[in-house]
């Protein structure tokens, strides 16, 4: 897959799919084109048996993504049409539906839809000069790329409210402290670290990974009893799959 304008999609022989958000002059802001291209590439990642792990990163050295392209705000003919487009191409739902492990390698700003995209991934590695925030309230909006729901699943509720309601930015060490990101590395170690983690994941059984991700993400919306039941069902399903193969 290639020929995209606003993302770069690359696949390595060892099973890693790299998605690079590629609008460095606009700090990799998510415009409609990038959104469409991501919406096209994610199903390919889901379906391609050669892809075991996906890593999302930003081009350039300033940002993972500075969020939705604010120069496009107000260009949709009507609020109703805007809603229809979002409904038809639910990019964030598409991200969350990928059953393979996904890693966000965050170098620099991850704001609004940028950090929200990273929160749709399973693991977030950030460079020590990164900054995160949900500036939507500043723009008269609620987080609409899933952030109001994904962030409370990672970060303690009170801290989420502060981040959303003040629209303040936080730095990498605070991001690590509150559990928004998994680890901080120096800028030059960002990509090698993401790659090392991806390779470690790939060394594990592909079906086990898929079922484990399923258990972790679906279980979050269940009671403990329901979650334990889900875990049992998935481990039995994995066992049956093994026996059958
Ligand atoms: N959209 C479009 N262009 C942007 C964006 C953006 N979000 N962010 C930065 N740019 C552009 C700037 O316009 C500038 O372009 P140019 O050089 O042509 O003037 C270039 O990137 C560099 O930016 P700055 O000069 O502003 O760099 P600074 O270091 O001074 O500041 C900041 C960096 C703090 C990141 C600043 O650029 C900023 O605040 N950007 C806007 C952040 C923002 O508000 N993002 C929107 C969040 S809302 C959101 O994401 C809602 C999600 C809803 C879902 C929608 C689906 C897509």
């Amino acid at each position: 897959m290639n020929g995209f304008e606003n993302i770069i999609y690359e696949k390595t022989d060892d099973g890693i799919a790299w998605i690079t958000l590629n609008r460095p002059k606009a700090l990799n802001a998510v415009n409609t084109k990038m959104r469409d291209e991501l919406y096209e590439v994610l199903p390919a990642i889901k379906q391609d048996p050669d892809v075991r792990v996906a890593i999302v990163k930003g081009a350039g050295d300033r940002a993972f993504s500075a969020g939705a392209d604010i120069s496009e705000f107000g260009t949709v003919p009507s609020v109703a049409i805007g809603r229809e487009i979002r409904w038809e191409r639910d990019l964030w739902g598409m991200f969350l539906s990928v059953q393979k492990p996904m890693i966000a390698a965050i170098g620099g700003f991850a704001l609004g839809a940028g950090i929200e995209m990273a929160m749709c991934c399973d693991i977030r590695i950030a460079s020590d000069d990164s900054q995160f925030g949900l500036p939507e309230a500043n723009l008269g909006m609620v987080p609409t790329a899933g952030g109001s729901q994904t962030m409370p699943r990672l970060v303690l509720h009170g801290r989420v409210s502060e981040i959303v309601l003040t629209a303040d930015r936080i730095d990498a060490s605070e991001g690590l402290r509150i559990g928004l990101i998994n680890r901080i590395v120096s800028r030059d170690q960002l990509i090698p670290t993401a790659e090392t983690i991806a390779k470690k994941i790939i060394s594990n059984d592909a079906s086990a990974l898929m079922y484990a991700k399923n258990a972790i993400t679906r279980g979050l919306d269940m009671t403990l009893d329901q979650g334990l039941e889900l875990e049992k069902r998935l481990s039995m399903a994995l066992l049956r799959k093994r026996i059958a193969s």
Side-chain angles (χ1 to χ4, degrees), residues 25-27 29 35 62 66-70 111-113 136 139 144 169:
K25 285 189 183 143
L27 305 187
R35 201 181 154 125
R62 295 212 54 217
D69 188 320
I70 47 180
L111 304 175
E136 279 94 334
L139 301 163
T144 39
R169 292 204 294 265

Side-chain angles (χ1 to χ4, degrees), residues 35 75-89:
R35 201 181 154 125
T75 56
V76 176
S78 76
V79 175
I81 291 174
R83 272 204 208 108
E84 202 174 296
I85 292 170
R86 277 200 291 278
W87 181 253
E88 278 173 10
R89 283 168 292 163

Side-chain angles (χ1 to χ4, degrees), residues 31-195:
N31 61 1
T32 307
K33 186 89 188 148
M34 183 187 287
R35 201 181 154 125
D36 287 347
E37 291 178 353
L38 288 167
Y39 198 77
E40 197 178 321
V41 93
L42 291 170
I45 287 175
K46 284 163 83 163
Q47 283 151 25
D48 186 341
D50 294 337
V51 173
R52 298 280 315 279
V53 173
I55 302 177
V56 188
K57 65 184 177 74
D61 56 7
R62 295 212 54 217
F64 176 76
S65 167
D69 188 320
I70 47 180
S71 70
E72 284 189 345
F73 284 10
T75 56
V76 176
S78 76
V79 175
I81 291 174
R83 272 204 208 108
E84 202 174 296
I85 292 170
R86 277 200 291 278
W87 181 253
E88 278 173 10
R89 283 168 292 163
D90 172 16
L91 180 59
W92 323 109
M94 177 67 84
F95 258 102
L96 292 169
S97 72
V98 177
Q99 295 192 324
K100 297 173 185 177
M102 297 191 77
I103 300 171
I106 304 169
F109 292 108
L111 304 175
I115 188 62
E116 293 175 277
M117 197 186 308
M119 289 191 292
C120 291
C121 297
D122 304 288
I123 296 173
R124 283 155 294 283
I125 312 298
S127 63
D128 48 16
D129 56 351
S130 293
Q131 290 191 45
F132 320 109
L134 291 172
E136 279 94 334
N138 247 332
L139 301 163
M141 300 163 66
V142 237
T144 39
S148 70
Q149 301 307 304
T150 50
M151 192 178 270
R153 284 164 165 78
L154 297 169
V155 172
L156 283 176
H157 187 185
R159 202 62 183 94
V160 177
S161 300
E162 194 180 335
I163 291 168
V164 172
L165 301 179
T166 63
D168 279 348
R169 292 204 294 265
I170 60 168
D171 63 15
S173 59
E174 178 65 356
L176 181 67
R177 196 185 69 77
I178 63 175
L180 179 61
I181 55 168
N182 295 61
R183 45 174 115 158
I184 303 177
V185 293
S186 58
R187 197 45 102 110
D188 61 336
Q189 285 306 306
L190 181 63
I191 299 306
T193 305
E195 200 167 7

